[in-house]
Amino acid sequence: MMPKFIQPLSAVLLGVLAIALLGLSSAPVRAACPGPFVFDDRLEIGVSDRIGNFRIDALEIQHPHLFVPVDSFGVCGDVTFDPLVVFGSEVVDGVNPTLADQIEDLELNLVVEHNPMTQLDDQTSCSSVYDTDCDSPTQCQAPELDDLVSQAPYTVQGSDICLGEIDGLYEMPWPDGRTTDPNEPEAGNHGCFVTEESSLTLQLAFDDTEVEIPLVDVVVAAAFNDQPADRLDEGVIVGFLTQEAADDIVFSVDTDLGEFEFNLGQDILPSGDGFSSCEPRSQCSGIEARAVHEGDCGWWFVLNFEGQRQG
């Protein structure tokens, strides 16, 4: 249990990175898959040969790293994998360890549904992500339309890598010594899949404030572990957040350490002065992790995941 005075700050950071990365608006995305792809016999979920549901049981942000500037204490902390420590005390939990705890405690339950399920080379079907409730790691409630996070057609590959190198990622070591390491799902003997592009709008709630973070050109890819698959391996989620959208997100957090105001684009996400295509900035880490995509400056968000099929 986090101390009460740091809980709002941690919630903000977790939301920014990924916790609610897939807790999104649902209305526009149903049209992403043509009707003939989708079966309605959801009573057979996880059992039907025609539907494959995979609960994400590992989720880890790889890019960008997230930083917390606390100017009054002279601190700029990378909290992606490790907690922020001020005067020997942990004031912000590491994001990825907290994600792992929430998944283990069945607090974060994201289900990737393939409907209908296919692993045949060059076949196309429909992939949806739902935010639902689970009684155990392998027993989740049947997803409903209101739980829909994203949806897009997916295509199976019987050879090669379904999603390889991602241009525009920061390639040098981060302050914690780690480097960005996205999964590259490979077909192997059982195939892999990659979705078409879609959009996600993150809806993050902390204190009495709700923040929306729009990602564009999102793709999801993973490898099937068997035939038929009971796991998704080497999964990766990739989406782009424009700098303009990030700079519009400003929030204040009042804690026992004082009141902190952050701008997502200018304070939290790494943007320095080493990238001539975007205007110079002086974010506390000094790291330049922006990219230009479709003419817009911004950040690629990359998350690795794995998933267990529901039964």
Side-chain angles (χ1 to χ4, degrees):
M1 186 68 179
M2 290 180 288
K4 184 176 182 181
F5 74 90
I6 67 167
Q7 192 166 0
L9 184 56
S10 293
V12 171
L13 298 172
L14 291 170
V16 168
L17 280 176
I19 236 180
L21 177 74
L22 306 172
L24 320 164
S25 59
S26 59
V29 296
R30 174 53 71 175
C33 288
F37 283 154
V38 181
F39 291 120
D40 294 324
D41 56 347
R42 298 184 184 277
L43 292 177
E44 296 182 87
I45 205 155
V47 177
S48 170
D49 291 336
R50 299 188 302 182
I51 298 175
N53 276 322
F54 302 83
R55 177 181 179 264
I56 292 179
D57 58 11
L59 183 65
E60 182 178 272
I61 186 165
Q62 284 288 321
H63 190 279
H65 278 213
L66 202 80
F67 296 86
V68 181
V70 186
D71 295 337
S72 56
F73 295 100
V75 173
C76 177
D78 182 344
V79 298
T80 315
F81 287 86
D82 302 302
L84 175 64
V85 178
V86 178
F87 299 140
S89 298
E90 295 185 5
V91 296
V92 178
D93 291 337
V95 174
N96 284 331
T98 302
L99 282 173
D101 289 344
Q102 291 199 334
I103 290 171
E104 183 178 358
D105 295 340
L106 300 179
E107 296 173 2
L108 179 61
N109 300 294
L110 302 172
V111 173
V112 180
E113 178 191 85
H114 286 183
N115 187 1
M117 179 73 179
T118 180
Q119 293 178 234
L120 298 178
D121 184 28
D122 206 34
Q123 288 269 326
T124 298
S125 187
C126 187
S127 180
S128 306
V129 179
Y130 292 90
D131 183 2
T132 187
D133 295 319
C134 299
D135 297 321
S136 76
T138 57
Q139 294 290 338
C140 292
Q141 295 182 12
E144 299 180 359
L145 185 58
D146 290 343
D147 302 325
L148 185 62
V149 167
S150 65
Q151 186 181 80
Y154 76 89
T155 301
V156 177
Q157 289 182 203
S159 61
D160 300 324
I161 295 173
C162 278
L163 186 63
E165 184 176 349
I166 303 165
D167 293 332
L169 301 188
Y170 181 69
E171 297 179 351
M172 300 296 289
W174 297 97
D176 63 5
R178 294 177 174 86
T179 55
T180 299
D181 187 22
N183 285 337
E184 295 186 354
E186 188 172 2
N189 295 323
H190 309 296
C192 57
F193 75 92
V194 60
T195 69
E196 296 181 8
E197 293 179 347
S198 61
S199 297
L200 306 177
T201 300
L202 318 185
Q203 294 182 339
L204 312 178
F206 54 94
D207 287 346
D208 297 324
T209 304
E210 185 173 278
V211 174
E212 294 187 349
I213 301 179
L215 295 181
V216 297
D217 296 342
V218 177
V219 295
V220 180
F224 300 110
N225 77 320
D226 204 348
Q227 182 76 34
D230 57 25
R231 285 196 64 82
L232 298 180
D233 290 335
E234 294 296 316
V236 62
I237 301 166
V238 182
F240 192 76
L241 173 65
T242 68
Q243 179 176 287
E244 181 179 7
D247 287 353
D248 286 339
I249 300 173
V250 179
F251 50 89
S252 296
V253 179
D254 190 9
T255 77
D256 288 357
L257 296 178
E259 182 174 357
F260 299 91
E261 181 175 281
F262 297 113
N263 180 291
L264 177 62
Q266 297 176 15
D267 299 327
I268 303 295
L269 298 177
S271 52
D273 58 5
F275 188 40
S276 60
S277 298
C278 301
E279 82 277 7
R281 290 191 166 180
S282 56
Q283 192 261 358
C284 72
S285 71
I287 291 175
E288 180 57 82
R290 288 174 294 178
V292 175
H293 175 63
E294 300 292 338
D296 292 319
C297 287
W299 297 265
W300 285 108
F301 275 67
V302 180
L303 293 101
N304 290 342
F305 76 92
E306 296 180 357
Q308 175 67 45
R309 190 165 186 172
Q310 301 297 287

